[in-house]
Amino acid sequence: MPEHVILVTREEPIALATINRPEKLNALNWALVAELADHFEELDADPAIGCIVLTGAGEKAFAAGADIAEMAERTPMEMATGGFEAWDRIRRIKTPIIAAVGGYALGGGSELAMHADIIIASERAKFGQPEILIGIMPGAGGTQRLARTLGKYRAMEICLTGEQVSAREMHAWGLVNHVVPDGQHVEEAKQLARKIARQAPLATRMIKEAILAAYETPLEVGLTYEKRLFAMLFATEDQKEGMRAFLEKRTPEFRGK
Ligand code: CO8
């Protein structure tokens, strides 16, 4: 039986997924990423869950990268075909995901954090793409997402030097939403997750879909796409309930319909 390294706790309407391999700084082997994708898909299909928090066990790391011991002897064909499917499955999760980063988020760990929709980091968290230091380059979206978020010049320096970047710097550069005191990253992320999970679920998912589409489309196409999703929400009970509740000066009760 493979070792299970993802712990999931449901605290409806949110769920907490923890990468539990602290003795290896939560290094991401292929089975681990596949297990994470399995859990995320299960939570994504569960109407009781409105937001997912992802973190790493232990004080030192969110995840210190892909597992170098596992990767060291892989062939190009194995790398090209074997490892990426699970990352793509994570990329397609519709429920909002918040990464709660308490320590190192390096290489694949930084890339995994960037698969999330919001990043909360502890003061001591460190981000970086140290692949260059071991003779490779980012492979799970690092060059693309850093370039889109931080711009060409910062992305170049981070990927070409492998140097670590503090949570504060990443916050100033727009990658980290909030920097919180050490040890409070999970609590703060859960609090934000609860706020998101209280909203109308269909609208929440469509907002995520529309914002992610902004990375793929020219503005004209994105605006048309947004208008279509916006109009579709007028077919939902939650739209009627949300607007009625506003007019009746009460709190809406959303049902995800
Ligand atoms: N892979 C495997 N094991 C790791 C990793 C890793 N990425 N990171 C840490 N570990 C292990 C160490 O080997 C050590 O194990 P042991 O106790 O058995 O010797 C244990 O975790 C603790 O680590 P350290 O003793 O090194 O802890 P330190 O506090 O001294 O250092 C660092 C912490 C600076 C984070 C250091 O561990 C380090 O540099 N780690 C490697 C960081 C790195 O290079 N990450 C990038 C990896 S490549 C990558 O992520 C490519 C992504 C491609 C994704 C697509 C895949 C399909």
Side-chain angles (χ1 to χ4, degrees):
M1 285 289 283
E3 183 194 5
H4 292 287
V5 280
I6 306 295
L7 307 176
V8 174
T9 46
R10 284 159 184 272
E11 302 171 25
E12 292 173 11
I14 67 168
L16 173 67
T18 305
I19 304 167
N20 188 30
R21 213 189 164 206
E23 71 289 354
K24 294 289 180 191
L25 304 188
N26 301 318
L28 308 166
N29 59 39
W30 288 7
L32 184 160
V33 181
E35 194 186 327
L36 185 60
D38 289 345
H39 283 295
F40 275 0
E41 284 175 351
E42 196 175 308
L43 295 168
D44 203 25
D46 185 343
I49 301 299
C51 192
I52 302 166
V53 174
L54 171 64
T55 195
E59 292 185 352
K60 280 186 78 174
F62 175 77
D67 190 327
I68 299 170
E70 182 187 65
M71 260 186 320
E73 301 304 326
R74 291 254 195 241
T75 64
M77 194 52 89
E78 285 169 336
M79 287 313 294
T81 55
F84 292 109
E85 191 204 349
W87 291 85
D88 288 337
R89 287 166 60 205
I90 293 171
R91 185 164 61 82
R92 288 193 288 267
I93 297 299
K94 296 185 177 73
T95 307
I97 300 170
I98 303 178
V101 179
Y104 294 116
L106 301 177
S110 151
E111 291 170 311
L112 182 60
M114 288 190 278
H115 275 62
D117 305 301
I118 290 175
I119 303 177
I120 306 287
S122 273
E123 295 267 5
R124 83 156 93 90
K126 298 266 189 213
F127 295 79
Q129 299 294 151
E131 289 90 343
I132 187 69
L133 305 176
I134 53 168
I136 58 166
M137 62 178 282
T143 59
Q144 301 307 297
R145 293 198 174 90
L146 285 175
R148 281 166 165 78
T149 308
L150 310 186
K152 169 185 160 184
Y153 301 96
R154 285 173 180 143
M156 283 286 183
E157 189 173 344
I158 289 169
C159 295
L160 291 174
T161 65
E163 276 178 12
Q164 295 172 10
V165 180
S166 71
R168 288 227 165 272
E169 249 170 324
M170 281 303 201
H171 177 254
W173 293 350
L175 187 104
V176 165
N177 291 69
H178 303 286
V179 181
V180 302
D182 281 344
Q184 288 184 25
H185 52 293
V186 175
E187 254 336 293
E188 295 281 345
K190 279 169 44 172
Q191 208 171 313
L192 185 55
R194 276 186 220 107
K195 195 183 235 180
I196 291 168
R198 275 202 298 273
Q199 316 305 327
L202 295 169
T204 302
R205 286 170 165 237
M206 286 194 197
I207 287 169
K208 173 168 176 171
E209 189 178 331
I211 291 174
L212 291 180
Y215 286 93
E216 314 288 343
T217 53
L219 184 60
E220 192 64 35
V221 178
L223 291 172
T224 304
Y225 191 58
E226 184 194 75
K227 267 184 221 123
R228 287 198 184 131
L229 293 178
F230 174 77
M232 262 170 69
L233 285 173
F234 284 74
T236 66
E237 291 176 18
D238 285 348
Q239 174 266 325
K240 303 283 177 285
E241 166 63 9
M243 294 193 179
R244 226 176 267 143
F246 176 82
L247 296 171
E248 292 168 7
K249 301 189 189 306
R250 61 176 173 82
T251 307
E253 280 181 39
F254 295 124
R255 298 185 196 287
K257 291 183 180 166

